[in-house]
Structure formats: C-alpha cells, structure tokens
Amino acid sequence: AIHSMIELLSTGGARRPALDVLESLVSEETLPYYFAALESRDPSVGNGIAEVLAKSRRYDPVQLLDLFSNPAVPKARIEAILSEQMEKLPPRLLITLLADVGKEARSVLFRLIEQHKDRSIVPQVVSRLNHPDWWVRQHMIRLVGDFEAVEGVPGVIEQLDDENKSVRLEAARVLGILKSTEAIPALCRRLVDEDLKVRTAVIDALTAIHDTSMVPHLVAVLKNESEHARRGAVEVLNEVVTPDAVKDLVSALRDEDWWVRVRAADALGSLGGDRVVDAVVGLLDDPDDFVRRYAVEILNT
C-alpha cells in the first residue's frame, strides 16, 4: 500500500487522501520505505513524504540523523522534518554530529540548535570553541551569546586572536552582548585589528561594556603607530567619558613620554564632543597643576 500511495502523491486529486494514508502507516517497521522516498527527485513525492514524517509521532526521529550522510536526500527535507520533531531529539546529538557532516548539513544543524535553544548543551558548546573548523568556532561563539553563557567568556576571549576575521568579529560582538569586563584588556588590544568590521565591533563592544577601568588599556592603544587604532581608542573614551574617567586618563599619561601626551591630547581634541569638553573643563580647577595644564592642552586642540 505504501508504494501505491507514494505513486499517487504526484497526482492532483488523490494527493491529500494518499498523504493521510501514508501518515497512518508510519511505524518503525515501515520507516525504511519513507526514507527511500525522501530521495525522490520529484518534489511532490519527496516533499510530501517530508510532510508526513514531520507530522507523525509514531517513530524515533533520532534515526533521521543518519540521513545527513546520504547525499541523495536533500538537506532541506531533513530540516523540515527535524524542525517539527525537535522535542524528541536530544540537542547534544546535534552538537556531536557536527564533526561528521558536510558544510550544508552543518548549516542545518546550527539552525536547528539555534531554533530550539536548550541550555544543557552549553558545556559541549564551550568545549568546541577551539574546533579546527573556523566555521564551527564562529557558530559556537554565537551560541555562547545566544545562551548568555558567561562560563564561555574565557574561551571567546581567546578567539579575539583567531586567524579568521569572521571568528574575531563574532567574538567581539558576543563579548559586547555579555558586557564582559573580563574581556576589556583583550578587546583594547584588538583595536589594532587590520579589518575595519572587526575594529568597529570591538569599539561597539567596549562601548556596551562602558566601564572606566578600561582607561589605562586605552592609553596603551594611544601609543600605537596606527591612526585607526588611536582613533578607535578615543572613540571609546568619548563614549565612556566622565570627569573621573578623563582624570584617570590624564593621570595615566603623567609618566608617559611627551609625544604620547601630545598624541592623546590631539586625538581627544580632534574628536571633541560635548562630553569630552564638559569633562575636561571640570579638570581646570583640579589641585594638581599637571592635570590643569593637560586639560588646557586638550581644550586648545
């Protein structure tokens, strides 16, 4: 009967009744017939079988995972079925399978994992942050952000130095989402990244973290030969600036070479902005003459 019903899926009037019969005949015993039909090049057949298997609750969907290794079965059909069967699939199996499938199948697995978030997989996610495949590393970092898994922060910080710019970009983005003060030193060092998108993500992350403890680390960046890095550091300072933060900055510059102080004053002055001006003006009455002189230098610029 199953073979006859499958043949009717490509006919108009009989299609709906055939689907109903096929759904009633699904069982562990008949499953191989349905899996074979998923290979059909006729969309009306293959997609019809996928619809039946997505609805049925009369079999163990874990068996569908084996189909990822079958090139004859379109991955879109597997995804359509699994999306409806996720409550019966342990998410850890999807993570474990990542290393054994091709790129297209990985895309499906990642979408399923992100679609049906289950925090029980966080330890597996964290353990794969150093996966040999950059594409996996990138998605594992994204999952750390999705789960707001602070236990993954140290591993994500390591990926700020990844050789792949997409991985570095995702790491910076997630650390900003998690507002990780632990990541401040590494993020400040990453302001020298050669990729504009990564630098922008780092600036956004530091701005989101918004912690004045980053001032000494930003001073170190102001010494860098890269104008892009220096402007990035100043851009962050302009976002987190308060009178106290500017005083911390000025104090941190006290023992630096004169050219570092000039460069910092030039950078702050050229960026300007009400918050910088208000903060610097607040230092003009400071009892420390070095602080007052440097405040005037910034205002001059």
Side-chain angles (χ1 to χ4, degrees):
I2 291 174
H3 287 301
S4 301
M5 295 301 105
I6 289 173
E7 290 176 4
L8 290 174
L9 292 179
S10 55
T11 63
R15 179 178 172 79
R16 187 68 260 170
L19 286 171
D20 293 339
V21 174
L22 285 168
E23 190 174 343
S24 71
L25 293 174
V26 175
S27 68
E28 293 290 340
E29 183 182 0
T30 61
L31 207 55
Y33 298 108
Y34 292 82
F35 284 0
L38 283 174
E39 300 178 13
S40 175
R41 295 186 178 183
D42 184 342
S44 60
V45 172
N47 295 342
I49 294 298
E51 180 184 335
V52 167
L53 292 177
K55 287 182 180 179
S56 179
R57 297 296 182 267
R58 301 169 64 183
Y59 69 99
D60 181 2
V62 170
Q63 299 171 78
L64 286 160
L65 300 180
D66 292 334
L67 296 180
F68 278 116
S69 61
N70 183 347
V73 178
K75 302 302 179 284
R77 290 175 188 169
I78 304 174
E79 182 175 7
I81 302 168
L82 291 178
S83 292
E84 301 298 323
Q85 297 283 354
M86 281 298 292
E87 74 277 2
K88 297 174 68 178
L89 276 173
R92 59 180 176 77
L93 291 181
L94 302 184
I95 291 282
T96 303
L97 194 60
L98 284 171
D100 303 321
V101 297
K103 186 174 180 179
E104 186 183 1
R106 284 181 183 173
S107 297
V108 172
L109 289 169
F110 281 128
R111 282 195 294 271
L112 291 169
I113 292 167
E114 290 171 352
Q115 179 184 346
H116 301 273
K117 294 181 174 63
D118 185 327
R119 217 179 184 286
S120 67
I121 66 171
V122 167
Q124 289 177 289
V125 169
V126 172
S127 70
R128 286 167 172 76
L129 287 171
N130 290 308
H131 193 279
D133 190 325
W134 72 266
W135 206 63
V136 175
R137 295 197 299 276
Q138 180 190 27
H139 278 83
M140 292 300 105
I141 293 168
R142 183 176 301 167
L143 287 173
V144 168
D146 288 346
F147 287 117
E148 297 184 355
V150 293
E151 57 267 58
V153 165
V156 176
I157 290 174
E158 288 182 19
Q159 301 312 313
L160 284 172
D161 294 323
D162 196 274
E163 61 185 18
N164 186 283
K165 64 183 180 182
S166 297
V167 175
R168 299 197 302 274
L169 176 65
E170 193 64 29
R173 188 188 70 83
V174 166
L175 290 169
I177 290 172
L178 297 178
K179 294 181 170 57
S180 171
T181 55
E182 181 185 348
I184 286 174
L187 283 167
C188 289
R189 289 195 298 271
R190 203 69 258 162
L191 283 168
V192 303
D193 199 285
E194 66 274 10
D195 186 83
L196 173 61
K197 288 184 177 179
V198 175
R199 290 199 306 272
T200 302
V202 169
I203 291 169
D204 291 343
L206 288 168
T207 301
I209 295 168
H210 207 278
D211 191 298
T212 54
S213 67
M214 65 181 65
V215 169
H217 302 288
L218 293 171
V219 169
V221 181
L222 290 174
K223 303 178 195 178
N224 196 280
E225 291 300 318
S226 167
E227 182 183 352
H228 295 302
R230 296 197 303 270
R231 288 195 63 80
V234 174
E235 192 172 334
V236 176
L237 281 169
N238 194 39
E239 291 297 325
V240 303
V241 76
T242 63
D244 287 342
V246 171
K247 187 168 183 179
D248 288 344
L249 170 62
V250 174
S251 299
L253 289 166
R254 180 189 298 275
D255 298 324
E256 297 292 345
D257 292 333
W258 67 269
W259 59 270
V260 177
R261 296 199 297 270
V262 170
R263 181 181 284 174
D266 182 62
L268 279 168
S270 61
L271 192 68
D274 291 343
R275 277 186 292 183
V276 171
V277 173
D278 290 344
V280 173
V281 167
L283 299 180
L284 293 175
D285 294 325
D286 195 274
D288 187 324
D289 60 344
F290 173 80
V291 173
R292 296 197 304 275
R293 284 200 308 271
Y294 195 70
V296 172
E297 282 185 45
I298 296 172
L299 288 172
N300 258 342
T301 308

